[in-house]
Amino acid sequence: MLNINKIRAQFPILNRKVNGYGLVYFDNGATTQKPQSVIDAEANYYANENSNVHRGVHFLSGLATDKFEATRNTVQAFIGAKHNYEIIFTKGTTDSINLVANGFRTLLKKGDEIIISELEHHSNIVPWQMCCEQSGATLKVIPLLDNGSLDMDTFNNLLSENTKLVAVSHISNALGTINNIETIIEKAHNFGAKVMIDGAQAASHVALNMQELNADFYCFSAHKMYGPTGVGVLYGKEAALNALPPYQGGGEMIKEVSFEKTTYACLPHKFEAGTPNIAGVIAFKAAIDFITALGVKNIAKYEDELLQYATTEVLKIEGLKIYGTAAHKSGIISFNIDNLHPYDIGMIVDKMGVAIRTGHHCTQPIMKRFNIPGTARMSFAAYNTKAEIDIAINAIKKAKQMLS
Ligand SMILES: *Cc1c(COP(=O)(O)O)cnc(C)c1O
């Protein structure tokens, strides 16, 4: 059992007022709030530890390097990776996906195929379109069923010897669907294809073990798991990462530079050109420590309680329709009420301190699939409560009254 009051006390922002009301923050799918330990770790680095990593012989550089590398080890343990050098620090999920797509651009040729799904965030669509444009490969799309889950029969038919990569999300940011990635990975591997999972919505919501999951690549962002912005992870199996060419060239990623021939550093440095977000990476460890102390499984169980409660309560609002009704869902509720515009609902509840997301959630193909311009979305984190859900639902009811 989580002690929610104790958890909430660690998030200073939850004490602030918005438009005169206590903040109810239900936009965790976009980014989560940060606990004091993360804020302190970031400030402490600049106050007491600031130095570049991997470069200096001096004391502070050694300290910064040790702490930077400590986060890598913490991430490795957190996701059950086999080696710490399979953890590449990036700017975020988008950056991680682009790194992989940029690599595949050089590996693929005409006749090769990449499979993504209709459920994807634009970050897991556009880089593959660019990759296909530049390599001559073809993009195939797994369609969505009405309940917001993937059409696995069509996926089976799309798979072939031509499939070189399958790139799908673990959890949909727009609908909350938890995809059956275990099956997707196994089936893709049967055809010799590599698999990249967009785990941006999963990393603080479900327990991960890379060695059991067997994905070739797995991407996520620190800022959606109580950590700082500007930090992300690309996990890749050693061999899968080694098969990719470097993404960016520069300092840190080389073994030897000469005008005749430059040789590249080993993993992970091959993919970490330039000075990284040192403060952010160091503070990211505090975020993972926060999650680990609570237990990801406990968080998942609690967020599921919030989801079940909110789903039941929100459906009592007449004319409200939930998009995304798959059996396996994460703590995300996307909805519309009659023909009210979601933006208007979002604006009115904001006046009452309730932060929800409205719009297409960077998933325009899903909106097109359901023939809607957008939805209003509530997404939960470990510090949210049923009392907050009651407040939000009252605010949504008021918005409905005002708008109809
Ligand atoms: C947020 C999100 C992304 C993009 O993450 P960034 O941190 O903005 O790079 C990609 N995919 C999904 C499913 C997301 O929720």
Side-chain angles (χ1 to χ4, degrees), residues 86-389:
E86 293 174 324
I87 309 300
I88 312 294
F89 289 119
T90 65
K91 288 189 293 187
T93 304
T94 304
D95 194 31
S96 300
I97 296 172
N98 275 279
L99 191 165
V100 179
N102 181 74
F104 270 84
R105 178 176 64 95
T106 68
L107 303 177
L108 300 185
K109 56 181 191 317
K110 203 169 173 336
D112 291 340
E113 294 174 357
I114 297 173
I115 298 178
I116 61 171
S117 88
E118 200 172 13
L119 196 69
E120 302 309 314
H121 189 283
H122 294 165
S123 290
N124 199 29
I125 299 174
V126 183
W128 302 114
Q129 290 175 322
M130 291 162 66
C131 174
C132 285
E133 230 167 72
Q134 292 162 352
S135 66
T138 307
L139 197 62
K140 303 270 172 176
V141 182
I142 311 167
L144 267 181
L145 300 175
D146 288 343
N147 71 356
S149 64
L150 296 182
D151 178 349
M152 294 296 275
D153 290 338
T154 305
F155 173 59
N156 288 335
N157 294 333
L158 288 176
L159 278 170
S160 78
E161 305 296 336
N162 295 329
T163 311
K164 297 299 175 230
L165 183 83
V166 177
V168 294
S169 52
H170 193 163
I171 295 177
S172 159
N173 65 303
L175 305 177
T177 313
I178 303 178
N179 289 322
N180 186 352
I181 56 168
E182 292 81 4
T183 302
I184 290 174
I185 292 166
E186 195 187 324
K187 293 192 169 194
H189 282 167
N190 287 341
F191 284 89
K194 296 275 183 276
V195 181
M196 193 218 77
I197 303 294
D198 169 356
Q201 290 296 335
S204 66
H205 302 285
V206 293
L208 295 173
N209 185 306
M210 289 303 129
Q211 288 175 82
E212 283 171 18
L213 190 62
N214 204 22
D216 300 282
F217 303 99
Y218 195 99
C219 310
F220 51 100
S221 299
H223 73 94
K224 289 183 177 174
M225 45 194 296
Y226 310 103
T229 53
V231 177
V233 168
L234 168 64
Y235 157 82
K237 283 185 193 166
E238 180 176 7
L241 285 171
N242 276 329
L244 298 183
Y247 179 37
Q248 294 178 315
E252 204 75 63
M253 56 74 72
I254 50 89
K255 193 181 276 168
E256 224 176 83
V257 173
S258 76
F259 289 112
E260 289 70 43
K261 180 157 178 64
T262 290
T263 49
Y264 305 124
C266 301
L267 296 175
H269 306 294
K270 173 180 164 186
F271 294 110
E272 292 182 355
T275 300
N277 182 348
I278 304 167
V281 167
I282 289 174
F284 184 25
K285 179 174 186 301
I288 297 177
D289 289 345
F290 167 80
I291 295 169
T292 308
L294 301 181
V296 192
K297 287 190 174 144
N298 296 328
I299 294 176
K301 186 159 169 281
Y302 178 66
E303 288 174 348
D304 191 56
E305 271 173 44
L306 294 178
L307 173 70
Q308 301 311 330
Y309 179 72
T311 303
T312 307
E313 292 302 311
V314 89
L315 282 173
K316 290 179 184 165
I317 299 174
E318 211 180 310
L320 185 143
K321 177 173 175 179
I322 292 179
Y323 295 88
T325 52
H328 293 286
K329 268 189 73 173
S330 174
I332 289 173
I333 298 178
S334 243
F335 65 91
N336 277 325
I337 303 175
D338 296 327
N339 50 6
L340 304 183
H341 202 287
Y343 179 82
D344 294 334
I345 298 171
M347 228 173 55
I348 293 173
V349 301
D350 178 59
K351 295 277 179 288
M352 295 175 254
V354 177
I356 62 171
R357 186 78 158 191
T358 66
H360 57 63
H361 318 295
C362 297
T363 56
Q364 286 179 354
I366 300 181
M367 301 303 131
K368 194 169 163 215
R369 166 70 173 75
F370 291 108
N371 203 15
I372 47 175
T375 68
R377 180 188 73 180
M378 302 193 282
S379 50
F380 307 122
Y383 42 68
N384 289 132
T385 64
K386 287 184 185 170
E388 287 182 312
I389 292 170

